[in-house]
Amino acid sequence: MSGEVAGKVCVVTGGSRGIGAAICALFADHGGKVINLDRDPPAIEAGIPFHRLDVTSEQEVVAVAQMIARDHGGVDILVNNAGIARIGPSMSFLLKDWEASFAVMTTGVFLCSREFGKIMRGRGGGGIVNISSINGFSNVPMRLAYNAAKAAVISMTKVLAIEWAGYAIRVNAVAPGMIETEMLRKAVDDGHMDVDAYMDHLPMRRFGQPRDVAEAVLFLASDRSSYVTGQVIVPDGGWTAFNWIPWSGDPEAPQVKNEKSAIANPDPSARPPHTTYGRAKTEV
């Protein structure tokens, strides 16, 4: 069997939809023995083994890691992809949403990396790819928990890359930009994204596809990146090169009229299109 990850045992968390499903499919196409770990089964059956897992549960992560090591003889690649998006004004943001964000996207990465890392150490090495986001270093309002959690993932990636290099375990991250997934569609439908505003400041003038992210993950998981560790690849269509989005302030805050400002009218519907935040005018 040929392929970039031929014969390798590849574990992907959150592999049932979106970016995770694309990673599973691409790894399988390249000969990987792919295992999808998710809270929910895939919407479309793709013939990839699935095991239910809540990445925030230490007991479940330990048990699943041991099961996979026993049944497959070890693990070569781990992709920490499981994630959630809780969006809203910081002053009214709920503690439960803050805790859920960090439980999935930081504690989950820690637990899975720790347990599968032990397995990799025992068999002489492996590769871990963490899915962060451009929000990990390019800050966007209304996403305090998401930004902070994804920034933590980047920091965790670098720490583990340094610690585990001696075990021949490479740890890298992929920080996607605006990728057309169910999560993005929900943000648009809920009025948290102005698509036209994003397109105005996205040099490639389109959202990425899950396959674009999967290709970057495949590179970091393959032997082609054998001398790469502690790095972050950013498939974002040029977003972070430009790194700006219009922002008209917390929607819950009173608007203060400023004659010198382009944002002078407190009525969002009366603002110029390029300063409107929170209403999608273009269908994704």
Side-chain angles (χ1 to χ4, degrees), residues 138-222:
S138 178
N139 301 309
V140 176
M142 307 279 285
R143 292 160 174 77
L144 182 63
Y146 189 80
N147 286 11
K150 289 302 188 180
V153 169
I154 292 173
S155 182
M156 293 164 69
T157 297
K158 294 178 181 293
V159 171
L160 294 180
I162 297 166
E163 281 194 31
W164 294 353
Y167 299 128
I169 299 173
R170 297 184 301 107
V171 187
N172 293 287
V174 173
M178 306 302 164
I179 307 300
E180 193 171 345
T181 63
E182 289 180 19
M183 191 179 293
L184 183 144
R185 287 179 179 274
K186 186 177 188 304
V188 172
D189 293 342
D190 290 348
H192 292 304
M193 285 185 64
D194 181 337
V195 177
D196 288 346
Y198 276 80
M199 288 298 174
D200 283 346
H201 302 284
L202 185 57
M204 292 189 72
R205 303 289 296 173
R206 67 174 179 87
F207 289 135
Q209 296 300 313
R211 175 74 178 231
D212 296 323
V213 182
E215 291 285 0
V217 174
L218 178 65
F219 167 72
L220 290 174
S222 74

Side-chain angles (χ1 to χ4, degrees), residues 120-136:
M120 293 177 187
R121 179 184 61 185
R123 62 190 274 128
I128 298 174
V129 183
N130 297 322
I131 305 301
S132 179
S133 165
I134 58 170
N135 289 153

